[in-house]
Amino acid sequence: MTYPQWRSLVRVFHASAALLEDGGSVTEIAARFGWATPSAFITTFTQLVGQTPASYQRRYRDTREGGGEV
C-alpha cells in the first residue's frame, strides 16, 4: 500500500465515523476531512467501502431506528 492509499484509507475511516456520529452532510464531512470536492470524497468512499457515504449513513440511521438490517 502506498502512502497516498494509506492516507485515503485513514481519511475514509475517520469520515465514516463522523457520518454516523455527527450526522453531518456528505459535503460537510468531505470538507472537514480535506477532500477538494464532495464528488472526490464520494468516489473514494465508494471504492473503499462499497457504498456511497449517503447510503452508508442512511443504512446506519435505519438500523438504529429499527427499520433495517446491518
Side-chain angles (χ1 to χ4, degrees), residues 6-55:
W6 174 84
R7 193 176 100 174
S8 290
L9 184 62
V10 169
R11 288 166 66 198
V12 165
F13 174 79
H14 289 288
S16 66
L19 282 165
L20 302 182
E21 293 169 6
D22 304 347
S25 73
V26 172
T27 301
E28 293 168 346
I29 301 295
R32 186 183 324 162
F33 289 93
W35 271 274
T37 63
S39 62
F41 170 59
I42 292 166
T43 299
T44 303
F45 190 98
T46 302
Q47 289 172 345
L48 293 174
V49 178
Q51 59 186 323
T52 66
S55 65

